[in-house]
Amino acid sequence: MNAARDAGESDATVLTGCTVVDARVLDGVAPLPDAAVWVRGDRIAAVGPAGEVLAEAGAAGEYRRVDLGGAYLTPGLVNMHTHLSLSLPGQGGDTVKGLNPHELAYYMADGARRTLLCGVTTVRCVAEKDHADFALRRAIASGQAIGPRIFTAGRALVSTGGHGHEGTDTLECDGADGFRRGVRSQVKAGADLIKVMISGGIAGQHEAIHTRQLFTDELTAVIETAHAWGRKVTAHAGPAPVIAEAVALGLDCVEHGYQLTPEVTAAMAAQGTALVPTLLVTRCKEFFDELGVPEWMQRRSLDAGPRHLDSYAMALAAGVEVLLGSDMPPFWTFEGTNASVRELEHMADSGLGPARALHAGTLGPVRWLGAEADLGTVELGKYADLVAMDADPLASASAFRGVRWVMSGGRVVRDDQTGWAAA
């Protein structure tokens, strides 16, 4: 992504033949047809009518011109529930668990590259094995690997025997002091946020979705310690009672929320607690079959689907901020597209609509991450993390199925017209 440019190649590019669209449409900023975007280095230097931008760029010196052929140009997607080292129960997961540290690094790097090429330019990792995510983040930032911008929680915190305890992507803790140490250990490693498992889930054979896994003093310790260090906290959580308690204590985000209630969603909206619903995880039999996921987990997942969708509807009705997150690997080919786009379609089609879905997949996550000064819109000064597609994303979230051009930090990493894709 950040590889050196060819000798003599300008670091300025003007993108033409496009309509610029981003989530500011919800604030009254209309799409800009016949637009041009001037990219200088890794950031956007100007956005506006093509003639004006071309004149401005020309006055500043040489540039390359890229005609996008009438495409819609948007910010890249942000996937807020990513596991590049995911290993579910079953044969596919066992293969990942069996990788040695060197093999795991290559496996995750390949997943990062594939994630970027499908148009996801930023991810939030919420439990990765062996702290390999930190090495991968450094490699991408230095240009040694190709992938999205990474915000990561490091290892997720769990109680002894809690959800996900079997893997090296979690850290078992007990008691308030133990969980305080857990938070600090992830911050020490370089975590941007903290992930904690506060209930059971789909993938734990000896638990139920509604199983409570932290006591109040432990949950308080996680949230207080993380906030003291300037880190937000997101929680794997299914049932309403434990979510209600966590929200009252200041929880910043809920993952999944399988069993919400109107009372809990109202509290989430009032507190400003976001929801990453991961609707895919209760409607992905094809994915489970591909990985050889056992029948007990498939049944638990698929049977939870109707209640999960009801919970999502309650969150929308209450005005909870919902954010894109697939849980499945972001790049995974699924139902004719990739997991990130399929999740966005579910969110849009289940009540969010395409304009708000664009916000949920771009600016909303960026604001939660505190990165809105650099990402999330097509504006002067932002990183040039951009994707182009032929269909209008304001007409349907399915437009993202047709992403055919991707730029990350001012570098084109995919261009279907020329057949170029970063390898």
Side-chain angles (χ1 to χ4, degrees), residues 182-239:
V183 170
R184 290 167 180 152
S185 71
Q186 300 315 293
V187 172
K188 178 182 178 181
D192 303 293
L193 64 139
I194 298 298
K195 166 81 173 291
V196 60
M197 312 294 204
I198 64 175
S199 78
I202 285 169
Q205 187 171 11
H206 303 296
E207 63 189 33
I209 288 174
H210 60 265
T211 303
R212 179 190 179 99
Q213 298 196 345
L214 268 71
F215 291 108
T216 302
D217 62 334
E218 296 172 320
L219 183 54
T220 301
V222 171
I223 295 172
E224 284 186 348
T225 307
H227 286 177
W229 283 89
R231 302 316 196 267
K232 289 183 176 179
V233 179
T234 194
H236 163 98

Side-chain angles (χ1 to χ4, degrees), residues 88 279-299 301-303 328 332-335 346:
L88 296 176
L279 297 175
L280 277 182
V281 302
T282 55
R283 43 195 40 81
C284 60
K285 179 170 175 51
E286 174 188 315
F287 173 67
F288 289 153
D289 287 344
E290 185 175 354
L291 294 184
V293 169
E295 181 64 18
W296 67 261
M297 179 176 166
Q298 294 209 29
R299 284 271 50 88
S301 167
L302 301 176
D303 290 350
M328 288 171 57
W332 204 272
T333 301
F334 182 68
E335 296 184 348
H346 277 304

Side-chain angles (χ1 to χ4, degrees), residues 16 34-36 48-58 65:
T16 61
D34 192 22
E52 295 178 11
V53 173
L54 286 166
E56 184 179 355
R65 182 170 176 174

Side-chain angles (χ1 to χ4, degrees), residues 5-242:
R5 296 183 186 275
D6 294 336
E9 183 182 353
S10 171
D11 71 346
T13 302
V14 177
L15 311 174
T16 61
C18 61
T19 295
V20 171
V21 183
D22 65 35
R24 291 175 297 158
V25 296
L26 297 176
D27 299 320
V29 179
L32 181 62
D34 192 22
V37 178
W38 177 20
V39 177
R40 188 161 52 184
D42 60 0
R43 293 188 182 258
I44 296 171
V47 182
E52 295 178 11
V53 173
L54 286 166
E56 184 179 355
E62 295 183 358
Y63 62 84
R64 294 180 302 118
R65 182 170 176 174
V66 176
D67 187 345
L68 293 175
Y72 289 85
L73 187 72
T74 77
L77 292 175
V78 182
N79 193 310
M80 292 283 277
H81 195 118
T82 298
H83 302 285
L84 292 171
S85 57
L86 180 69
S87 56
L88 296 176
Q91 181 179 356
D94 289 344
T95 298
V96 176
K97 290 176 184 176
L99 297 175
N100 66 41
H102 309 294
E103 292 168 333
L104 179 66
Y106 279 111
Y107 177 84
M108 291 177 64
D110 178 64
R113 178 187 63 84
R114 294 167 69 183
T115 294
L116 180 60
L117 293 183
C118 77
V120 176
T121 55
T122 300
V123 296
R124 187 185 69 164
C125 295
V126 287
E128 301 290 3
K129 291 179 172 46
D130 301 328
H131 280 174
D133 43 326
F134 297 112
L136 180 59
R137 183 177 65 183
R138 291 191 296 269
I140 292 171
S142 66
Q144 296 172 326
I146 296 166
R149 300 181 194 278
I150 292 178
F151 293 80
T152 185
R155 298 171 72 181
L157 308 183
V158 303
S159 62
T160 293
H163 183 74
H165 73 277
E166 305 92 345
T168 59
D169 50 357
T170 57
L171 178 66
E172 288 182 303
C173 308
D174 286 297
D177 288 345
F179 275 97
R180 289 191 192 278
R181 283 193 295 271
V183 170
R184 290 167 180 152
S185 71
Q186 300 315 293
V187 172
K188 178 182 178 181
D192 303 293
L193 64 139
I194 298 298
K195 166 81 173 291
V196 60
M197 312 294 204
I198 64 175
S199 78
I202 285 169
Q205 187 171 11
H206 303 296
E207 63 189 33
I209 288 174
H210 60 265
T211 303
R212 179 190 179 99
Q213 298 196 345
L214 268 71
F215 291 108
T216 302
D217 62 334
E218 296 172 320
L219 183 54
T220 301
V222 171
I223 295 172
E224 284 186 348
T225 307
H227 286 177
W229 283 89
R231 302 316 196 267
K232 289 183 176 179
V233 179
T234 194
H236 163 98
V242 69

Side-chain angles (χ1 to χ4, degrees), residues 371-411:
E372 61 267 36
D374 293 316
L375 301 167
T377 57
V378 188
E379 288 187 88
L380 171 67
K382 300 290 183 77
Y383 282 121
D385 291 1
L386 306 168
V387 299
M389 66 209 80
D390 290 322
D392 182 359
L394 296 181
S396 172
S398 294
F400 282 94
R401 286 178 175 246
V403 167
R404 59 172 173 83
W405 182 93
V406 180
M407 172 178 275
S408 179
R411 312 280 175 156

